[in-house]
Amino acid sequence: MKLRTLSLSVFLVALWGGFNAANSQAQVTLDVVTERTPITFRSNDNLADGQATELVQELIAQSGFEYQLYFSPWKRAYRRAETESNVIIYPLARTTERENKFHWIGQITPVHYYLFRLLERRDITVDSLADVNQYKVGVVNFHAHHVYLKSQGIANLEPVNSNRQNFHKLLRKRVELFASSSAGLLTLCEQEKTDCEKFVPALKLEGISKGLFIAASLDTPEETVAKLRAAYDLIEESGLLGKIMGERMNAQDKDRFLEQF
């Protein structure tokens, strides 16, 4: 009798443990990190913005996870995604240097990065990266363009916390070149009510013009990553990806935004 009672107790403990494990897996909470940019943040004044955040929220909802969304300076967001588990980061430029540091979930949009100059600064001539060190270059701290230019030996970099800061620094001639995606610059022109014809691309940064992605930290469990990727595939196949991102989903080899300059 004692033996049967003990066996039943062991069975109930094992059953409860299995239930807890399954319940724990179902209640995984993801920390979603990003920065405040037109593609991520939607304010009452700019209801057309925030498409990337809308996409990520849809992705996680379809995956069945709980999440907390954090807006912070990009360097802080990136460090969290680099060192913690169950962290989702976006929009992250997919570069060779970052390839093995994250699980790549899916592309948000193609991206084309340039160094821009003011149209009136015809004295600035940049034919290759070798020419860039002659000029002060505005970059955003820890963005792909910052890391890339630094890796290429560019020394005159002036990092700040947002593209908007660099936008105004270029207009005030406190820097001579400004690193940005073409779509990002057009959005800034619209928000800051500035004529984008004041800017011209001086040099395309070919090494990082590969696309903006949703990614997961490397310590995120494979099962979680697999569910997120499956949800992304469904969103893409249903046409919802294109609906959310709109004209940002331009062809990879044709920068339609650049044509507007």
Side-chain angles (χ1 to χ4, degrees), residues 235-254:
I235 290 171
E236 184 177 34
E237 289 165 10
S238 69
L240 186 56
L241 174 62
K243 183 177 179 182
I244 292 173
M245 296 310 301
E247 64 176 352
R248 287 183 181 273
M249 292 305 296
N250 55 300
Q252 183 70 41
D253 60 347
K254 183 177 173 61

Side-chain angles (χ1 to χ4, degrees), residues 23-56:
N23 194 44
S24 173
Q25 181 180 346
Q27 293 179 359
V28 168
T29 298
L30 301 172
D31 283 347
V32 181
V33 297
T34 189
E35 62 178 344
R36 289 178 186 260
T37 68
I39 198 174
T40 63
F41 186 70
R42 178 173 294 157
S43 68
N44 290 331
D45 297 327
N46 296 290
L47 297 179
D49 289 345
Q51 303 103 314
T53 297
E54 182 181 344
L55 174 61
V56 170

